[in-house]
Amino acid sequence: MSTPTLDPTASAQAEKFDPTVIERRSASVGQLFRDRVARTPDTEAFRYAAGDDWTSVTWAQAKERAYRLAAGLITLGVEPEDRVAIASSTRYEWALADLAVMCAGGATTTIYPTTIAPDVAYILANSASRVVFAEDDDQVTKLWERRVDLPDIGHVIVFEGAADGEWVLSLADLEQRGAELLATNPTAVDDRIDTQTADQLATIIYTSGTTGRPKGVRLQHNAWTYQAAATDAIGILSPKDLQFLWLPLAHVFGKFLLTLPLQVGFPTVIDGRIDKIVDNLGVVKPTFMGAAPRIFEKAYARITMMMKAEGGLKEKLFLWSVSVGREVAEMRARGEEPTGMLAKKIALADKLVLHKVRERFGGRIRFFISGSAALNQDIAHWFDSIGLPIIEGYGLTETSAASFVNRPGANRIGTVGWALPGTEAKIAEDGEVLLRGPGVMEGYHDKPEETAETKDAEGWLRTGDIGELDDRGYLKITDRKKDFFKTSGGKYVAPSLIESTFKGLCPYVSQFVVYGAEHNFVTALVTLDADAIKDWADTRGITGDYATIVRSDQTREMVQNYIDTLNVNLNRWEQIKKFVILDHDLTVEDGELTPSLKLRRKAVSEKYRDQLDALYDG
């Protein structure tokens, strides 16, 4: 595997960080949690919604419940590295269950709540899970349906729902069992934590399955404690921060953001209700939040469309303010500050417009973190202009989330930033990004051949992504290696970049899928955002449901105009010649998107092949 000579330490030379934070990291997540509680027992650890109110929990209170649950797992026969699954949406109980598994010495297996029963059974059987935490009766029903296929599952613990006291226990039942054990053996949980080692299995996270059946990624304790310590070492967060966490905790990004506060000590507000994100931002007032690009795309589209609908002076003032904000943001990225007339203009723009937009996001955001997929650069610049910088990062399930991340003081839009200290990177001759470091997986569970194909004997992981490293260590991801396709004319097309660009141009788009392998020109499948297109239609007197609106000539003309704008900056062989608008959006439930909202390209291409191929007729 020959590679160009590149300096993997370029980022380390460009920034200052404390290497001792990484060197003295805890051996396990259980130890990390216990150490955090010992340092700051009475400070806030978590906050979660309880009806219309919020309940706050200190680190000491979280430990008390987590220990009881961990002891309960021990009474169920959970031994070190035994798999304990969690099938639930993002909620405080998910965090408690995970901490309990870590403290009991088990290994968490994550399952998205939207996963269908046969796939749940596959994951549980493949991982050899012994116990399952289930969110509610719906999740328990999936397990009952497949119980004959799950002989290793000794018990199910339900967060809220019916328990039979035998196979299905309530959370209270488990806590009671744990309390009884701790009454007779107070050190039962601490004894488990004391014996944990860095190379012990902590988590199995199954890949999204954008192609083929999901594989279980084995992540050791060392991967998580390294991730937390390396992020702490670069100093972008402090105990004074407040995180709002709504991302799926079954996803590696969410799991990372759940582990990070154990190291740094900031409190985390947990609420996985997607429809409450905007409302919660105004109430919670976090200082940072992680999200997938789709969230930023929707917020950008919503605000810009509102301003366009206002029209007149308000729209002009908004556009002027954003323009001034961008000029100042670009200056600050160079380490400069506005002076003279520009300083006066930004003060006025901020007073009249920009601060009002920031207030919609709670008014205290220092930065957002974007991961999971590529973020459109125009959208990133727009948020930066408002004073809401988005620092984009990069990583895989196989690297326990973060491998690269931009820094708030050195944010280069269009890149995913510098490597975390301790992570090495190089570019293979074919452009593939290779990574090595403590965050890289042990391997795929029970799949030695797939592991050997992905991770070589020297520890280098083939990411499957095409990228470039500049002379300062900034990494730019250009596309997924397997997503590249060749037209019948022999020209290569990188669909992800084109798709991301279009999302920055068209505020009404939801999904944009570029297609054209082995064809003589490129086409696209388009879906539109239901709320955005309804507002657009109302202003034009177009009536009817979503399907009626998207079939209208006006809608097609609107999409064509945005595609024409897109094509201006594309090579001739990349330009979108024809497109089809679906009469419905792509969904997780229909298997077209992963639970982290990434496109299942192969599934979508196959499902809508007839409609796409019809674009080439004649």
Side-chain angles (χ1 to χ4, degrees):
M1 186 186 298
S2 58
T3 60
T5 302
L6 291 168
D7 181 6
T9 63
S11 60
Q13 297 168 357
E15 69 170 337
K16 294 180 180 179
F17 63 90
D18 184 358
T20 64
V21 174
I22 304 174
E23 294 164 4
R24 61 173 186 264
R25 66 185 182 273
S26 301
S28 70
V29 177
Q31 290 181 36
L32 183 63
F33 174 52
R34 187 172 63 182
D35 292 345
R36 166 51 51 202
V37 177
R39 285 196 296 270
T40 57
D42 300 322
T43 62
E44 185 180 33
F46 300 103
R47 200 183 309 165
Y48 62 95
D52 294 330
D53 299 319
W54 293 87
T55 297
S56 180
V57 179
T58 67
W59 286 108
Q61 290 170 330
K63 177 189 173 185
E64 185 177 359
R65 286 199 71 189
Y67 266 40
R68 287 200 299 265
L69 292 169
L73 291 174
I74 293 172
T75 70
L76 298 183
V78 172
E79 297 290 339
E81 297 192 287
D82 276 352
R83 267 70 76 191
V84 178
I86 305 177
S88 171
S89 61
T90 296
R91 54 190 293 164
Y92 176 53
E93 290 84 358
W94 204 110
L96 278 179
D98 184 54
L99 288 171
V101 177
M102 295 297 96
C103 292
T108 300
T109 299
T110 68
I111 299 176
Y112 290 99
T114 54
T115 306
I116 60 176
D119 289 346
V120 170
Y122 168 77
I123 291 171
L124 293 175
N126 182 256
S127 63
S129 291
R130 297 280 308 280
V131 176
V132 182
F133 284 97
E135 181 170 20
D136 51 25
D137 291 336
D138 288 342
Q139 299 302 323
V140 174
T141 298
K142 296 178 191 178
L143 302 174
W144 277 115
E145 289 175 359
R146 310 294 295 203
R147 188 175 181 183
V148 68
D149 302 320
L150 303 172
D152 294 332
I153 301 299
H155 288 90
V156 176
I157 317 299
V158 66
F159 292 158
E160 56 179 47
D164 58 23
E166 296 179 3
W167 195 55
V168 182
L169 305 177
S170 69
L171 207 58
D173 291 336
L174 187 66
E175 283 195 69
Q176 180 60 37
R177 294 175 68 115
E180 291 171 1
L181 174 61
L182 291 172
T184 59
N185 184 2
T187 65
V189 175
D190 282 319
D191 290 345
R192 284 289 179 92
I193 294 175
D194 289 339
T195 61
Q196 291 172 4
T197 59
D199 62 354
Q200 191 169 312
L201 180 67
T203 317
I204 300 182
I205 298 182
Y206 281 76
T207 57
S208 306
T210 53
T211 59
R213 200 149 202 181
K215 298 187 289 286
V217 176
R218 293 174 60 92
L219 298 172
Q220 299 164 308
H221 281 274
N222 185 51
W224 294 119
T225 59
Y226 159 73
Q227 286 278 352
T231 306
D232 190 18
I234 63 178
I236 64 175
L237 293 164
S238 81
K240 295 180 180 179
D241 279 300
L242 176 63
Q243 173 178 211
F244 174 35
L245 180 55
W246 58 268
L247 286 164
L249 296 178
H251 187 270
V252 71
F253 189 17
K255 181 70 167 65
F256 163 65
L257 292 173
L258 190 61
T259 307
L260 187 56
L262 307 183
Q263 170 77 32
V264 182
F266 54 76
T268 297
V269 179
I270 301 180
D271 190 340
R273 296 174 295 176
I274 304 298
D275 60 333
K276 292 290 186 181
I277 292 176
V278 175
D279 292 340
N280 282 340
L281 282 168
V283 174
V284 171
K285 301 185 185 302
T287 62
F288 82 101
M289 182 184 85
R294 184 62 188 140
I295 298 300
F296 302 118
E297 292 164 3
K298 287 178 72 74
Y300 164 78
R302 187 69 180 169
I303 294 172
T304 53
M305 285 189 298
M306 284 173 55
M307 290 299 101
K308 186 171 289 188
E310 289 280 355
L313 183 59
K314 281 190 177 181
E315 183 187 14
K316 290 179 181 178
L317 180 59
F318 177 79
L319 294 175
W320 174 81
S321 297
V322 172
S323 174
V324 173
R326 177 159 183 170
E327 185 177 355
V328 171
E330 290 174 350
M331 282 189 67
R332 288 174 174 158
R334 298 192 299 268
E336 305 170 13
E337 283 294 324
T339 59
M341 183 57 68
L342 183 57
K344 294 178 180 178
K345 287 198 293 185
I346 190 59
L348 181 61
D350 198 75
K351 179 179 179 180
L352 297 177
V353 174
L354 302 183
H355 89 277
K356 295 179 182 177
V357 179
R358 292 196 299 273
E359 286 297 322
R360 294 176 65 91
F361 295 90
R364 297 203 314 142
I365 290 287
R366 294 197 299 115
F367 55 82
F368 292 110
I369 304 174
S370 179
S372 170
L375 176 68
N376 177 270
Q377 291 187 43
D378 289 333
I379 293 175
H381 278 297
W382 184 88
F383 272 90
D384 207 27
S385 303
I386 300 298
L388 295 168
I390 301 173
I391 60 173
E392 194 169 3
Y394 168 74
L396 310 169
T397 305
E398 289 85 346
T399 64
S400 52
S403 297
F404 278 73
V405 67
N406 271 291
R407 314 313 197 234
N411 186 20
R412 184 170 293 184
I413 292 173
T415 77
V416 293
W418 290 328
L420 285 181
T423 290
E424 299 176 79
K426 60 182 180 179
I427 309 298
E429 289 182 342
D430 63 357
E432 184 175 9
V433 179
L434 309 179
L435 297 174
R436 182 170 67 180
V440 171
M441 69 172 180
E442 177 187 0
Y444 294 118
H445 184 68
D446 202 27
K447 292 184 180 294
E449 292 182 2
E450 286 88 340
T451 299
E453 290 172 1
T454 305
K455 183 182 176 184
D456 70 16
E458 296 180 347
W460 287 103
L461 180 83
R462 296 179 180 273
T463 65
D465 289 308
I466 302 298
E468 304 165 355
L469 274 168
D470 70 16
D471 58 0
R472 292 194 64 210
Y474 283 93
L475 175 65
K476 181 177 181 180
I477 301 295
T478 55
D479 217 296
R480 285 292 292 169
K481 185 176 179 179
K482 64 176 179 285
D483 288 347
F484 272 83
F485 65 79
K486 188 189 289 187
T487 66
S488 60
K491 297 292 187 178
Y492 281 99
V493 176
S496 297
L497 182 59
I498 298 172
E499 290 158 0
S500 174
T501 302
F502 187 76
K503 288 182 177 182
L505 290 172
C506 179
Y508 310 104
V509 71
S510 176
Q511 298 296 330
F512 189 76
V513 185
V514 173
Y515 182 82
E518 306 305 325
H519 289 286
N520 60 337
F521 60 88
V522 176
T523 58
L525 180 147
V526 183
T527 73
L528 301 174
D529 183 273
D531 294 331
I533 198 63
K534 181 66 168 60
D535 291 343
W536 175 86
D538 287 345
T539 62
R540 287 157 179 79
I542 304 172
T543 59
D545 59 11
Y546 173 87
T548 302
I549 293 170
V550 300
R551 283 196 295 263
S552 71
D553 292 340
Q554 297 99 312
T555 300
R556 185 168 186 83
E557 182 181 357
M558 177 269 289
V559 172
Q560 182 66 66
N561 288 338
Y562 281 110
I563 287 179
D564 290 344
T565 302
L566 170 74
N567 284 340
V568 168
N569 294 309
L570 296 179
N571 292 308
R572 179 184 53 77
W573 62 87
E574 298 173 308
Q575 292 174 356
I576 309 300
K577 303 298 185 183
K578 295 182 180 181
F579 62 93
V580 58
I581 307 175
L582 290 185
D583 62 4
H584 59 278
D585 204 352
L586 305 182
T587 67
V588 174
E589 291 74 18
D590 289 338
E592 298 153 337
L593 304 176
T594 72
S596 57
L597 304 183
K598 286 186 285 190
L599 176 71
R600 293 186 190 270
R601 188 178 301 277
K602 182 178 179 181
V604 170
S605 296
E606 290 178 354
K607 184 172 183 178
Y608 300 103
R609 183 174 303 279
D610 289 347
Q611 288 161 271
L612 287 163
D613 284 348
L615 297 174
Y616 297 94
D617 288 349

